[in-house]
Amino acid sequence: MALALPSNDALAVQLELLADLSEILGEDGFRIRAYRTAAARVRETAISVAQLALQGQAKELPGIGRTIEAKIVEAAEQGEIAALAKRRAEVPAEVASFLQLPGVGPRTAARIWRELGVTTTAELRAAAEQGRLRELSGLGATSEAKILAALADRPVGTTPARGLLGRGLPVVREVVAALAAHPAAVRVSEAGSIRRRRETFRDLDVIATATDAAALIAFFVELPGVLQVVAHGDTKATVVTQQGLRLDLRVVPPDCFGSLLQHFTGSKEHNIALREEAVRRGLSVSEYGVAVAESGETRTFETEEELYAFLGYAFIPPELRENAGELEAARGGTLPALVEAGDLRGELHCHSTWSADGKDGIEDMARAARRNGYRFLVVTDHSHYLRDGRLHAQWEEIAEVDRRLRPFRVLRGIEANIKADGSLDVPDDDLAELDWVVASLHTSFDRSPTERVLAAIESPHVDCIGHLTGRRLSRPARAAGAPVDVERVVAAAAATGTALEINAQPDRLDLRDVHARLAGEAGVLVPVTTDAHSVAALAYAELGVAQARRAWLTRDQVLNTRTWAQIARLRR
DNA sequence: GCCGTTTTCGGCCCGACTGTTTTCAGTCG
């Protein structure tokens, strides 16, 4: 029986484990780095890399050459990379998980295993408790205590939960505003992954310049909502808030604020690629400035714009800094003009009290949308709450509110369920009378999700597919979403003129960034929708726009930057 | 292992922190 092709995530896991085991075995560091770079590339590729490798095209991806492509073919054909199988036979299974412990890198993990004969987490705990780790030079009582604390904190092998962008963004903004209002503050900015608007974060980074660094840091660690001060030094501090969010503040010299902001915004991959290209041109880039090898002088930059310009790039918006082609585009002057929050003209997916889980009525939702500066609102209540004549009753209310709020438009939509057999749970006669039809998977995610979505796309009544994979970022079991073949869905959507939404719910952000980019490149129009179940949730549009920007989308590629009249003309 | 406007060979980002090293290796971001 043919094996299902490994997903990109599964391939990346194999390459990362190969890197970890090779490192524990003391192999060449540059080859290990190549495995890790390739793993990151595979994870951030929108289409199946296993499929590409079988076609001999994976080596066209940056960071993947003939050798790693051959390894991916092995994974696709035999289930596992042969070099990985070989190393797994050499290194006891749990030793690689030692790497997750604080202060334990490959050298230390290898010595714990080889010199102490410790091969499992249980043995490691026992060894630490008995004070045997300090027998190794370089390890002392402090290291033992840290390892024991980490073992007690959470089981090895599990990863710590990441916070959602939608939760972190308001917090980091509050902190930036509070710090900026302090008399010692000069410049204050968000940084890190939250500034790049990544869908999840590990910690929230803020950097600042100040006339009195100590005063600003002292103010920071005493902000309301701070539960615990983890670190408090001369130039930086780390606190944990009552909601359990980790916040970092760094106070930096003003003359290199631009370099430091760029450095701490990342991503790591973007910065490494930027620095490697600079090295080839005789420049050494660090967080403090750019050293010119020829003259020996170091240039400093107060703004990111000046730094990028000095290195020969157009300014790169933080959302694009993932080493996904942005450096080449910025050098060649071909960066896209990204969609902005103010470009949205209306809402194409939201709910009212006609849905049992809706909090606000149609008129309240419409008035709130109008206050946002929108010009239309499509009400897409759940189909299963609109049976037994309720659908027509809802249409009457929509028509009434529409008349009352003109020229603002309120339109008849629906969110229909894609059933297990791929059909919709709304009769065609009703669908034909709707202004806008969203079709979504809500159940049986593991039952042929691709075929069901493709069937919905083929329906002449379906305008848009809702939250394509059904992923829920805060639920580990569902964070990956249904195993939808996005490449096929995008092709079908492009062929039929069906839209694929970016659902801006903080827990969804579905399409994910690389898939929305794939859709945009294929010519699919991508609406940014909130799926709001309340007036307040209409504000999630900002998160969806951020996701669209991470997907390189321009205003024209985002469907609801158009008026309703323009959208209606685009319908089939 | 990857890669190329110095190079198909010989490079490969850069700096801070930490613990126990008495001069820096290992780890981390």
Side-chain angles (χ1 to χ4, degrees):
Chain A
M1 177 180 125
L3 237 61
L5 286 181
S7 68
N8 289 352
D9 274 346
L11 286 177
V13 165
Q14 286 200 30
L15 286 165
E16 282 156 1
L17 185 56
L18 175 60
D20 285 348
L21 296 180
S22 301
E23 205 168 23
I24 288 167
L25 289 167
E27 298 176 28
D28 174 60
F30 291 111
R31 194 170 65 215
I32 290 156
R33 203 191 124 177
Y35 293 150
R36 295 225 163 90
T37 305
R41 178 66 57 195
V42 169
R43 226 183 252 291
E44 295 304 315
T45 296
I47 62 180
S48 166
V49 177
Q51 187 69 54
L52 282 181
L54 290 172
Q55 296 161 358
Q57 293 168 348
K59 57 181 170 296
E60 289 166 23
L61 296 168
I64 297 179
R66 305 182 70 88
T67 310
I68 290 182
E69 177 175 273
K71 287 177 159 48
I72 294 171
V73 169
E74 288 170 5
E77 290 179 341
Q78 283 135 47
E80 187 171 28
I81 297 170
L84 172 59
K86 177 166 168 275
R87 285 165 183 75
R88 287 205 306 121
E90 285 182 62
V91 183
E94 287 185 36
V95 171
S97 68
F98 296 173
L99 297 178
Q100 292 169 18
L101 295 164
V104 179
R107 308 277 181 157
T108 309
R111 295 179 64 209
I112 290 172
W113 161 40
R114 290 198 152 128
E115 294 179 29
L116 297 179
V118 167
T119 61
T120 68
T121 305
E123 288 169 11
L124 180 63
R125 181 182 283 112
E129 282 167 352
Q130 295 157 9
R132 284 169 47 220
L133 294 186
R134 66 189 74 174
E135 291 170 19
L136 299 175
S137 65
L139 288 183
T142 311
S143 303
E144 273 174 353
K146 274 190 173 176
I147 288 170
L148 280 174
L151 286 172
D153 200 32
R154 67 185 165 81
V156 168
T158 63
T159 48
R162 294 178 64 93
L164 298 179
L165 173 65
R167 282 195 65 209
L169 202 50
V171 173
V172 80
R173 281 190 174 136
E174 243 179 85
V175 170
V176 166
L179 292 174
H182 190 273
V186 180
R187 302 182 63 179
V188 184
S189 174
E190 47 180 304
S193 64
I194 199 90
R195 182 167 179 243
R196 303 198 312 275
R197 302 293 187 260
R198 255 195 77 171
E199 60 197 31
T200 59
F201 62 88
R202 197 197 53 207
D203 51 22
L204 301 170
D205 294 308
V206 177
I207 82 167
T209 61
T211 53
D212 181 348
L216 192 64
I217 292 171
F219 177 69
F220 170 72
V221 300
E222 286 175 8
L223 282 174
V226 167
L227 179 69
Q228 184 196 353
V229 180
V230 177
H232 184 176
D234 295 337
T235 59
K236 65 175 192 177
T238 301
V239 301
V240 176
T241 70
Q242 284 159 359
Q243 306 139 297
L245 305 183
R246 218 177 153 83
L247 273 160
D248 263 359
L249 170 67
R250 290 165 206 269
V251 180
V252 304
D255 59 339
C256 44
F257 182 78
S259 281
L260 281 151
L261 178 58
Q262 195 281 329
H263 172 74
F264 286 117
T265 296
S267 65
K268 186 178 165 210
E269 289 74 18
H270 173 87
N271 286 350
I272 289 175
L274 177 91
R275 290 170 178 198
E276 282 178 344
E277 189 173 320
V279 165
R280 290 195 283 275
R281 297 158 54 217
L283 302 170
S284 174
V285 178
S286 81
E287 56 264 57
Y288 300 109
V290 179
V292 183
E294 204 169 314
S295 63
E297 68 165 337
T298 295
R299 292 283 309 264
T300 59
F301 303 93
E302 289 188 28
T303 67
E304 286 186 325
E305 284 81 355
E306 294 170 86
L307 169 63
Y308 279 111
F310 180 77
L311 294 173
Y313 301 103
F315 177 76
I316 301 175
E319 294 94 331
L320 298 187
R321 299 182 195 168
E322 300 291 345
N323 191 28
E326 74 279 9
L327 289 166
E328 295 80 348
R331 191 171 286 293
T334 57
L335 280 176
L338 300 179
V339 63
E340 292 174 14
D343 292 334
L344 297 189
R345 293 281 170 272
E347 175 63 70
L348 284 167
H349 181 173
C350 70
H351 299 266
S352 73
T353 42
W354 286 89
S355 296
D357 49 356
K359 303 281 188 295
D360 292 305
I362 291 173
E363 181 159 355
D364 287 341
M365 293 294 287
R367 288 184 182 278
R370 195 169 65 171
R371 281 197 301 278
N372 270 1
Y374 287 177
R375 294 160 70 170
F376 71 90
L377 177 91
V378 181
V379 182
T380 55
D381 279 306
H382 291 293
S383 49
H384 47 275
Y385 297 123
L386 295 171
R387 293 181 186 140
D388 307 321
R390 286 168 54 85
L391 182 60
H392 288 81
Q394 188 226 28
W395 288 356
E396 281 175 29
E397 185 179 335
I398 288 172
E400 203 181 301
V401 178
D402 181 50
R403 273 195 300 276
R404 207 176 300 148
L405 298 189
R406 292 271 177 145
F408 186 88
R409 296 301 317 275
V410 185
L411 289 311
R412 280 182 196 173
I414 202 161
E415 183 178 14
N417 292 313
I418 304 174
K419 296 194 285 188
D421 66 359
S423 66
L424 301 179
D425 68 343
V426 180
D428 279 353
D429 291 350
D430 287 337
L431 292 176
E433 290 190 57
L434 285 153
D435 294 315
W436 190 253
V437 175
V438 180
S440 308
L441 294 176
H442 285 114
T443 53
S444 313
F445 293 104
D446 52 347
R447 288 175 62 183
S448 313
T450 305
E451 302 306 325
R452 289 157 66 199
V453 169
L454 290 175
I457 286 175
E458 290 306 322
S459 159
H461 303 296
V462 170
D463 296 291
C464 182
I465 299 298
H467 47 70
L468 177 61
T469 71
R471 70 178 188 165
R472 303 306 289 266
L473 294 172
S474 63
R475 304 184 203 171
R478 283 189 58 189
V484 173
D485 184 336
V486 179
E487 205 178 349
R488 286 176 67 200
V489 168
V490 164
T496 57
T498 308
L500 299 175
E501 75 175 9
I502 289 176
N503 185 301
Q505 290 278 316
D507 197 29
R508 293 189 184 274
L509 291 174
D510 187 8
L511 306 173
R512 64 171 285 209
D513 46 16
V514 296
H515 290 152
R517 185 174 175 186
L518 184 74
E521 287 168 351
V524 174
L525 292 172
V526 180
V528 169
T529 71
T530 63
D531 198 354
H533 286 63
S534 68
V535 161
L538 290 170
Y540 292 148
E542 184 198 7
L543 307 177
V545 170
Q547 184 91 339
R549 289 169 63 84
R550 290 179 55 79
W552 294 55
L553 298 181
T554 64
R555 186 175 64 184
D556 284 351
Q557 291 174 301
V558 174
L559 178 62
N560 52 328
T561 58
R562 293 164 178 78
T563 63
W564 176 252
Q566 291 169 325
I567 293 170
R569 276 200 295 276
L570 287 172
R571 293 188 74 211
R572 286 170 283 168

